[in-house]
Amino acid sequence: MCQIKEKGPLKFNPVRDIIAGTIMAATSVPQLVAYAQGVGYASYRGLATAGPSLMAWGLTTGSPFMSCGVTSITALMAKADLEGESYVAEYGEEEYVKLVAAYSLWVGACSALLGIIGFGKLAGMVPKNVRTGFKWGCAVGVVASAMPNGLFTNGSGELKKAVAASAAGDFVSTVKSTFPAATGAVSVTSLLYALTHPLEWGMMAAPMFIVCTAFVMKGKNYLPKSFPPGTEVIIATAFATLLSITFDYTGNVVGEIPQLDPDAGIKLGPIKIPVEFLNPMDLLQAPLVERFGGSYVTLIITASLFAAVNFLSIMSIASTFEMENGIAWSAPRELVAQGAACGIAGLVGSAPVSGSMSRSLVSRMAGTTSQMSCMVTALIWIYMMPYMSIMSPTPQAALSAVIISAVIKAVVFPKELMAMKGTDFIVGWGTGIGTAVTSPTIGFGIGLLLVGVTSLFKSKEKVA
């Protein structure tokens, strides 16, 4: 493994970029499929739509290391903002994909606009206690979203029926009718039910989920150091897939992966790039505004908050590389890059994308020297699609393990939150709990409101 150690501008090395891009492509596939599950659409769409947005990112970003894609947080936010579960139940997955894609276009447009008006400087002023609490609240939401497919044979559908038939059912019904915005409260209630009723767990799903989670979290300690980061994810996913095939697994799996339309794609001379775009008219006609009370103002504010929160992740990643590797970055440029990537994501039917810390760190460790690396990754993902039917029998329990392993430690042991005192404690935990029991967008707003309220009290204390 050729990890970048030098500081400052990197010397372009196409061979190293091709190798790094290939490593990134191989180690990230399980994540792509798993996070699609988090958005609420078919798992295969995670891989089918990942390449074009990453290509757009590579062509516009100024960072050689940073990688982007659907993350656990963007998946959660898109699903919460659009009330994904209820929409799929009423209109079906195909219509939901169009809705998500239309939302990505709006997030992309708002991202570019924020970059033009100089939002990057303002983003740096968001207090750390708000950012920390928000991150924890989102992580709780990710756990609540992924856990059902890990512990129950038939996933969230089975858990919903169990909760509805229990004493918690009345509480969930009351929340839905009285506080419809508190979607997180319903998810957290279901999570608590799932964790306290182990006798209802799937006989194959739950053990597979637990073993895969443990291996993804600790397996790298027992693998040769020469193996690239993410190898443990590939091994766990492959093992679960093999078990599924061998023992005729009856739980939820990735399922059939449709073949791309042979006429679809982009032709660049003799080269054809097999990418399937959605019909623009379908995106324009998607009832997106109706999901926000029929108000374009509400839609714009929500999409802008989504873009702003997205950028906080990118800012954190870029700042890390600036501090550790001396890689300078430009806030306006990265916001525009985020906008371009989200825009292309929308055109191919993906949820909004953001910077991925885990994939970016893998990129750096693999020896990346330029943006060419993520473009290589994008092309590999695009051309791999015809061969991805190998993942059709992969249990969703294993994919849930990939998601849970990335966030569970931060949820159970939130060190930064627990270290806060005084008003920071109030703002941090208030933001976190607000995010967990409502939605990421509302939770972030609660955090900013708490900052304002506590600042007033501080001002009064100084005057006194």
Side-chain angles (χ1 to χ4, degrees), residues 55-404:
M55 177 63 73
W57 172 265
L59 292 170
T60 51
T61 182
S63 173
F65 298 144
M66 206 179 326
S67 180
C68 88
V70 175
T71 67
S72 58
I73 292 180
T74 62
L76 172 69
M77 290 178 65
K79 188 176 182 180
D81 285 353
L82 300 174
E83 298 178 10
E85 287 192 16
S86 63
Y87 194 88
V88 171
E90 186 172 357
Y91 299 104
E93 190 223 350
E94 290 292 335
E95 293 302 312
Y96 178 57
V97 169
K98 297 173 187 176
L99 187 76
V100 171
Y103 192 41
S104 292
L105 292 178
W106 276 90
V107 173
C110 290
S111 297
L113 180 60
L114 290 175
I116 293 171
I117 66 176
F119 172 77
K121 293 182 180 180
L122 183 62
M125 298 171 63
V126 176
K128 183 180 179 181
N129 47 19
V130 173
R131 286 185 277 121
T132 303
F134 176 79
K135 187 176 180 180
W136 180 81
C138 283
V140 172
V142 170
V143 170
S145 177
M147 194 70 77
N149 283 321
L151 296 178
F152 294 85
T153 301
N154 295 311
S156 58
E158 181 180 344
L159 176 58
K160 281 182 183 178
K161 291 179 181 178
V163 172
S166 72
D170 291 337
F171 172 74
V172 169
S173 297
T174 301
V175 170
K176 286 183 175 180
S177 60
T178 310
F179 306 103
T183 54
V186 175
S187 298
V188 171
T189 301
S190 297
L191 172 64
L192 293 175
Y193 179 92
L195 294 176
T196 54
H197 291 75
L199 294 180
E200 298 181 24
W201 295 354
M203 291 186 65
M204 282 190 68
M208 182 186 296
F209 167 71
I210 293 170
V211 170
C212 286
T213 300
F215 185 78
V216 172
M217 293 181 70
K218 299 294 184 180
K220 59 186 176 183
N221 297 328
Y222 304 98
L223 296 175
K225 292 184 178 180
S226 59
F227 284 14
T231 301
E232 66 278 2
V233 175
I234 295 176
I235 292 174
T237 307
F239 174 72
T241 303
L242 184 61
L243 284 180
S244 174
I245 296 171
T246 303
F247 295 99
D248 194 22
Y249 182 70
T250 57
N252 287 349
V253 296
V254 170
E256 182 182 356
I257 299 178
Q259 292 298 310
L260 183 71
D261 182 345
D263 296 325
I266 302 173
K267 288 187 177 180
L268 300 175
I271 301 174
K272 183 177 181 180
I273 302 176
V275 176
E276 191 167 7
F277 290 95
L278 298 183
N279 186 334
M281 289 304 299
D282 287 340
L283 302 185
L284 292 174
Q285 294 172 2
L288 184 61
V289 180
E290 286 78 357
R291 302 305 285 178
F292 296 91
S295 170
Y296 276 99
V297 173
T298 304
L299 170 58
I300 292 171
I301 292 174
T302 306
S304 296
L305 281 173
F306 196 121
V309 170
N310 258 11
F311 184 66
L312 292 178
S313 297
I314 290 174
M315 185 174 68
S316 174
I317 299 168
S319 297
T320 297
F321 292 146
E322 183 175 42
M323 179 178 65
E324 297 180 0
N325 300 92
I327 304 295
W329 65 288
S330 163
R333 178 171 181 174
E334 299 310 322
L335 268 167
V336 171
Q338 174 180 293
C342 285
I344 296 299
L347 293 177
V348 296
S350 168
V353 297
S354 181
S356 168
M357 176 63 86
S358 61
R359 279 172 254 173
S360 298
L361 291 175
V362 170
S363 178
R364 181 177 68 175
M365 294 179 69
T368 292
T369 67
S370 75
Q371 295 88 329
M372 176 182 169
S373 175
C374 67
M375 289 187 273
V376 169
T377 300
L379 288 173
I380 292 175
W381 285 343
I382 290 170
Y383 283 101
M384 275 177 63
M385 269 309 297
Y387 311 101
M388 288 312 297
S389 57
I390 190 174
M391 291 195 71
S392 292
T394 301
Q396 290 190 9
L399 301 178
S400 291
V402 175
I403 298 173
I404 293 294

